[in-house]
Amino acid sequence: METAFAEDFATELHEIQTSNHLEQSLASLSRRLGFDHFALTLEPRASEASIPDLLLHDYPDEWAKVYTGFDLSGRDPVRRACDHSFIGFAWKSIGDFIPLTRGDRQMLAVGSECGIGDGYTVPRHLPGMARGSCSFVVRPGKSLPQNSLAIAELTGALALTCALGLSDMRRAPKDPKLSDRQRECLLWVARGKTASETAIILGISTDTVIQHLKIARERYEVHCKQALILSALFDGVIGFADVFRLSGANEA
């Protein structure tokens, strides 16, 4: 179910040529997942300062006016928490990443008064190039759709990859981030295979697969499989189509 949903969204995003089209697709996606609003932000690193930030959302007008009018982005606890996570997180767990100040709690309370309840944010980091996040939000008094969070993680990362391409922030690295063999190991793990299963498929030892994945994590400076997969997807080293088409074929 999750694979089919993500593959459908990947196919839809493949046709997107403008930020307005991406905004419409995300608005539709958020409703299908059981959320009420979305927000996607992408900003260049210092070396790409000439490229403008990208902000897409369908937040209530009242909150949008407060947020931009008082320039709250620099004090946003959600944004600050993104700097401490490579995987998605619910806003109720922000305190696990950063200490919440009185001002943070006040900002969250004002957001609630303006129609913004709990949310789930997918952060992305591309060292030296860009940082961004994709948030899916519910109205006050409504719980996050727990069954949709895994799909939100996948589709949020994909939406950010699409936004990166639209913004012209992506550039080809001077050298490949991963070797061909490291990429092969990562692809099979992303398709749901264990290290031992990947070893059989590639005709190498399990220890060799584990070592390749360890080096890949070190190169991306992440510490778990999920963060490695999402970082490589965002970087363009592996693609959603590669992952989902073959995993779907295997399930069939």
Side-chain angles (χ1 to χ4, degrees):
M1 178 67 178
E2 293 177 10
T3 296
F5 194 104
E7 184 175 352
D8 288 346
F9 188 56
T11 301
E12 180 180 344
L13 290 188
H14 183 70
E15 305 298 326
I16 287 180
Q17 300 295 323
T18 68
S19 58
N20 285 339
H21 191 182
L22 176 58
E23 185 171 358
Q24 294 169 6
S25 293
L26 279 170
S28 175
L29 170 70
S30 63
R31 304 304 186 275
R32 290 167 63 191
L33 292 179
F35 297 94
D36 299 296
H37 304 287
F38 84 90
L40 182 147
T41 65
L42 193 66
E43 58 185 284
R45 296 293 187 180
S47 60
E48 301 288 344
S50 61
I51 299 176
D53 296 350
L54 177 65
L55 171 62
L56 306 175
H57 70 86
D58 65 351
Y59 280 174
D61 289 341
E62 185 177 3
W63 177 238
K65 290 177 182 178
V66 170
Y67 194 89
T68 57
F70 289 92
D71 193 21
L72 299 180
S73 61
R75 291 173 280 170
D76 188 345
V78 175
R79 180 181 177 183
R80 298 200 327 269
C82 285
D83 291 335
H84 299 273
S85 178
F86 275 90
I87 59 175
F89 58 87
W91 292 359
K92 288 183 178 179
S93 66
I94 290 176
D96 295 337
F97 299 99
I98 60 171
L100 284 172
T101 66
R102 181 178 179 182
D104 293 334
R105 298 182 190 281
Q106 184 177 19
M107 184 184 297
L108 294 172
V110 172
S112 181
E113 292 175 1
C114 295
I116 300 296
D118 198 7
Y120 186 82
T121 293
V122 181
R124 289 278 71 79
H125 309 274
L126 201 54
M129 191 183 306
R131 56 182 282 182
S133 66
C134 186
S135 297
F136 298 96
V137 182
V138 294
R139 61 180 179 271
K142 181 178 176 181
S143 299
L144 292 177
Q146 296 297 319
N147 292 338
S148 295
L149 298 187
I151 306 176
E153 178 90 32
L154 293 171
T155 54
L158 180 54
L160 282 163
T161 302
C162 179
L164 186 67
L166 293 175
S167 70
D168 292 327
M169 290 184 198
R170 184 192 294 278
R171 63 171 181 268
K174 293 181 180 179
D175 298 302
K177 195 81 170 182
L178 303 179
S179 69
D180 290 343
R181 185 59 93 183
Q182 290 158 5
R183 179 181 178 277
E184 284 181 318
C185 291
L186 177 56
L187 263 176
W188 283 108
V189 169
R191 290 165 180 161
K193 301 300 182 182
T194 65
S196 58
E197 290 171 334
T198 298
I200 294 172
I201 292 169
L202 298 180
I204 58 181
S205 71
T206 300
D207 286 343
T208 299
V209 172
I210 293 173
Q211 183 63 18
H212 280 315
L213 294 173
K214 177 178 181 294
I215 294 172
R217 289 196 302 272
E218 290 173 349
R219 291 187 177 180
Y220 274 107
E221 299 180 351
V222 297
H223 304 288
C224 67
K225 177 183 70 176
Q226 291 81 3
L228 173 60
I229 293 170
L230 290 172
S231 296
L233 284 167
F234 188 53
D235 204 6
V237 172
I238 61 176
F240 271 80
D242 294 332
V243 173
F244 292 120
R245 284 174 185 166
L246 186 49
S247 62
N250 289 341
E251 292 170 3

